[in-house]
Amino acid sequence: MTRPLTSIERSVQGRNDWLKEEERRSIESRGEVGRMEFWLRVTRSRINKDVKAGRGDVIPGFTSVCRLFKLAMDKRAAGDQRLWDHLMQYADQVLSQHDPRH
């Protein structure tokens, strides 16, 4: 027998369900571009909340992630696929281990 969820657990579950549904709707509406735009909006909102909460290190962190992604795209466009492949493999590993939506 499983115990009932706490109010915090229900809140987290509700948030995750909302994210899944909004992502699905974004994909239905605009395909992968819609999915990307949805996650950019969610991320921007979260960055603003973190900055207001005194966690300003989120800005250089996001900047670094964006620079890394652009570098991987540039290298791939120049014919070197390795960084792109490594980045995608790492992203898949991290998301499969830590993203509750999977």
Side-chain angles (χ1 to χ4, degrees):
M1 185 169 169
T2 59
R3 65 172 175 75
L5 297 177
T6 66
S7 63
I8 293 172
E9 290 168 331
R10 283 192 310 275
S11 176
V12 168
Q13 185 178 22
R15 173 77 174 161
N16 289 336
D17 291 345
W18 178 84
L19 287 170
K20 285 179 190 177
E21 179 61 20
E22 289 300 311
E23 181 182 39
R24 184 191 64 74
R25 289 176 53 197
S26 296
I27 294 166
E28 284 180 1
S29 172
R30 304 229 20 235
E32 287 300 313
V33 171
R35 180 194 306 236
M36 175 197 62
E37 291 170 346
F38 167 73
W39 284 109
L40 285 173
R41 283 191 309 273
V42 169
T43 301
R44 183 176 180 191
S45 173
R46 180 56 192 266
I47 288 170
N48 287 331
K49 288 176 184 174
D50 276 23
V51 168
K52 287 178 184 175
R55 295 183 294 271
D57 61 338
V58 70
I59 292 174
F62 183 72
T63 301
S64 293
V65 169
C66 289
R67 288 179 58 210
L68 172 61
F69 190 78
K70 183 188 174 301
L71 177 63
M73 289 189 303
D74 290 346
K75 290 223 177 240
R76 184 175 69 162
D80 185 354
Q81 184 86 20
R82 291 174 299 166
L83 182 57
W84 179 263
D85 291 343
H86 291 327
L87 186 58
M88 294 300 102
Q89 180 183 12
Y90 181 67
D92 287 341
Q93 288 173 356
V94 170
L95 290 172
S96 68
Q97 291 176 19
H98 299 285
D99 189 355
R101 295 175 322 104
H102 282 88

